[in-house]
Amino acid sequence: MRFLDKLILIILLSLNFFNNSFADNHNIYETLEIIKNDLKTLERAVYSGSIETSASTNQQSNIDLDSNSEDVLTRHLLKLSQVEDQFRQLTNKFEEINFKLDKLSNRLSKIQADNQIRFQDLESAISSGDNTTQLSSKPKTDTTKSEILPGSSQPQDLGTISYKDTETPETSQQIQSVDTTASVVTETFQAEEKILPQDLSPKKQYEFATSFLKVGDYSTAERAFREFVVSNSEHELAGSAQYWYAETFRIRQLYTDAASAYLEGYQKYPKGNKAPINLLKLGVSMVQIGEKDQGCKMINGVELQYPKANQSVIQKAKYESKKFECIKEDS
């Protein structure tokens, strides 16, 4: 509006000039009409430009706001996607760690169970040294039984085997039956460097050999117990040493060698502290190498041969008999 006011003022001054200069002009009215029309046209042009300018300004601001909103939304969506990816990765890592922990827990449970069994055997070996009176001096036999266990005073199939006769040049053993007993072969002990301290008493040597079992060095324990049995075959701990010698094979799943060592212990030390458990382990080893009939006969014969043995051994024999489905023969 200021622009129009100035323009009107200029026109009025021009009219005054025209009035002074052209007083005698009779066409002033026509000139004014022309100027009015021009002013109206100019006014419309000015108002139209301002409206278009304001409209374009509003439209541009709306476009800028929409563009800013889209940019903000896009940034939030990208951030949310990154958070989802990180959460997914953390979930996968958690599941992987949980799976590893389950495996580790199962492995520790197995190791704990295995160690518990071994320590129980060691504790029973130590405690049985003071409880020799619990075992009968002579095993009671059932006169109604027509069969006698192999390896007893009246040997039958298994008891008639001589270890020297079982030596063969063949490199592999063929398991057939106990009658031919290629499956039970004693190990020929070769002279090696002494393991047991020679300046110690037999009892200390026995404890020294047992220490290898406690740390899991079964190959060295095998040599140590064998050396003890050879050097102290008449000692009261020889039967126990022979039993642990056989155990070193069983723990390593060498069941044929274990059966041979158990059999030697059963025949040489039938009245030793470890005789009942030795007979039980002999029967189990026989079953594991494929001689189920002979093995079951020995497992079922533990209670008959050693009726005053520890109840844990008798209960273990019953469990193994049921486990291997051994059929007890009626009298």
Side-chain angles (χ1 to χ4, degrees), residues 122 126 193-217 220-225 227-228 237 241 244:
L122 290 173
I126 296 174
E193 183 180 357
K194 297 294 184 180
I195 296 178
L196 300 178
Q198 301 301 312
D199 56 342
L200 297 180
S201 63
K203 185 177 180 180
K204 293 294 183 180
Q205 289 181 342
Y206 178 83
E207 294 175 355
F208 182 80
T210 304
S211 64
F212 292 108
L213 280 179
K214 295 180 179 180
V215 298
D217 189 357
T220 306
E222 170 197 343
R223 293 174 54 194
F225 282 118
E227 180 181 337
F228 182 89
L237 294 175
W244 291 115

Side-chain angles (χ1 to χ4, degrees), residues 141-187:
T141 57
D142 191 355
T143 56
T144 60
K145 293 287 183 179
S146 58
E147 295 182 356
I148 301 176
L149 292 176
S152 60
S153 58
Q154 297 180 6
Q156 294 181 354
D157 294 340
L158 187 60
T160 58
I161 300 169
S162 173
Y163 295 119
K164 294 182 179 180
D165 295 354
T166 59
E167 294 181 355
T168 174
E170 297 181 359
T171 57
S172 61
Q173 296 180 356
Q174 299 178 355
I175 299 176
Q176 297 177 359
S177 65
V178 179
D179 296 333
T180 56
T181 191
S183 60
V184 181
V185 180
T186 57
E187 178 186 11

Side-chain angles (χ1 to χ4, degrees), residues 163 166 173 183-188 226 242 245-246 249 254-267 278 282 285-286 289:
Y163 295 119
T166 59
Q173 296 180 356
S183 60
V184 181
V185 180
T186 57
E187 178 186 11
T188 302
R226 185 60 180 173
Q242 179 66 32
Y245 169 69
F249 294 113
L254 303 174
Y255 298 118
T256 301
D257 295 329
S260 175
Y262 286 128
L263 176 61
E264 183 178 359
Y266 176 61
Q267 290 182 335
N278 186 88
L282 173 59
S285 298
M286 293 297 293
I289 64 176

Side-chain angles (χ1 to χ4, degrees), residues 55-69:
S56 62
T57 303
N58 294 332
Q59 185 177 3
Q60 183 66 30
S61 62
N62 291 333
I63 293 173
D64 293 337
L65 289 175
D66 293 339
S67 178
N68 292 333
S69 299

Side-chain angles (χ1 to χ4, degrees), residues 6-20:
K6 290 180 180 181
L7 184 61
I8 293 171
L9 181 61
I10 292 172
I11 292 172
L12 292 176
L13 291 175
S14 298
L15 289 176
N16 292 328
F17 176 74
F18 286 143
N19 289 327
N20 295 327

Side-chain angles (χ1 to χ4, degrees), residues 1-225:
M1 295 300 294
R2 291 179 181 179
F3 175 76
L4 292 176
D5 294 336
K6 290 180 180 181
L7 184 61
I8 293 171
L9 181 61
I10 292 172
I11 292 172
L12 292 176
L13 291 175
S14 298
L15 289 176
N16 292 328
F17 176 74
F18 286 143
N19 289 327
N20 295 327
S21 301
F22 305 100
D24 57 342
N25 194 351
H26 298 285
N27 297 324
I28 294 175
Y29 181 79
E30 295 178 357
T31 303
L32 290 174
E33 291 293 330
I34 294 172
I35 293 173
K36 284 183 179 180
N37 293 331
D38 293 335
L39 287 175
K40 290 180 179 179
T41 302
L42 181 60
E43 185 177 359
R44 286 195 299 269
V46 171
Y47 276 98
S48 176
S50 63
I51 293 172
E52 289 177 0
T53 302
S54 62
S56 62
T57 303
N58 294 332
Q59 185 177 3
Q60 183 66 30
S61 62
N62 291 333
I63 293 173
D64 293 337
L65 289 175
D66 293 339
S67 178
N68 292 333
S69 299
E70 290 178 357
D71 292 339
V72 172
L73 180 60
T74 302
R75 287 196 297 270
H76 283 297
L77 290 176
L78 291 175
K79 190 66 176 179
L80 180 61
S81 178
Q82 293 175 358
V83 171
E84 289 177 352
D85 291 338
Q86 293 177 357
F87 181 79
R88 191 179 300 108
Q89 292 176 0
L90 290 175
T91 303
N92 294 336
K93 290 181 180 180
F94 175 78
E95 291 177 353
E96 182 180 358
I97 293 173
N98 194 20
F99 176 73
K100 291 181 179 180
L101 287 176
D102 289 340
K103 291 180 65 177
L104 181 61
S105 178
N106 293 334
R107 182 179 296 179
L108 289 176
S109 299
K110 292 180 180 179
I111 294 175
Q112 183 178 5
D114 184 64
N115 289 336
Q116 185 176 4
I117 293 175
R118 295 177 185 176
F119 286 131
Q120 286 178 353
D121 290 339
L122 290 173
E123 290 175 358
S124 62
I126 296 174
S127 61
S128 61
D130 299 332
N131 299 323
T132 56
T133 57
Q134 295 181 358
L135 300 176
S136 59
S137 59
K138 292 184 179 180
K140 295 182 180 179
T141 57
D142 191 355
T143 56
T144 60
K145 293 287 183 179
S146 58
E147 295 182 356
I148 301 176
L149 292 176
S152 60
S153 58
Q154 297 180 6
Q156 294 181 354
D157 294 340
L158 187 60
T160 58
I161 300 169
S162 173
Y163 295 119
K164 294 182 179 180
D165 295 354
T166 59
E167 294 181 355
T168 174
E170 297 181 359
T171 57
S172 61
Q173 296 180 356
Q174 299 178 355
I175 299 176
Q176 297 177 359
S177 65
V178 179
D179 296 333
T180 56
T181 191
S183 60
V184 181
V185 180
T186 57
E187 178 186 11
T188 302
F189 181 75
Q190 299 177 353
E192 298 179 351
E193 183 180 357
K194 297 294 184 180
I195 296 178
L196 300 178
Q198 301 301 312
D199 56 342
L200 297 180
S201 63
K203 185 177 180 180
K204 293 294 183 180
Q205 289 181 342
Y206 178 83
E207 294 175 355
F208 182 80
T210 304
S211 64
F212 292 108
L213 280 179
K214 295 180 179 180
V215 298
D217 189 357
Y218 303 118
S219 59
T220 306
E222 170 197 343
R223 293 174 54 194
F225 282 118

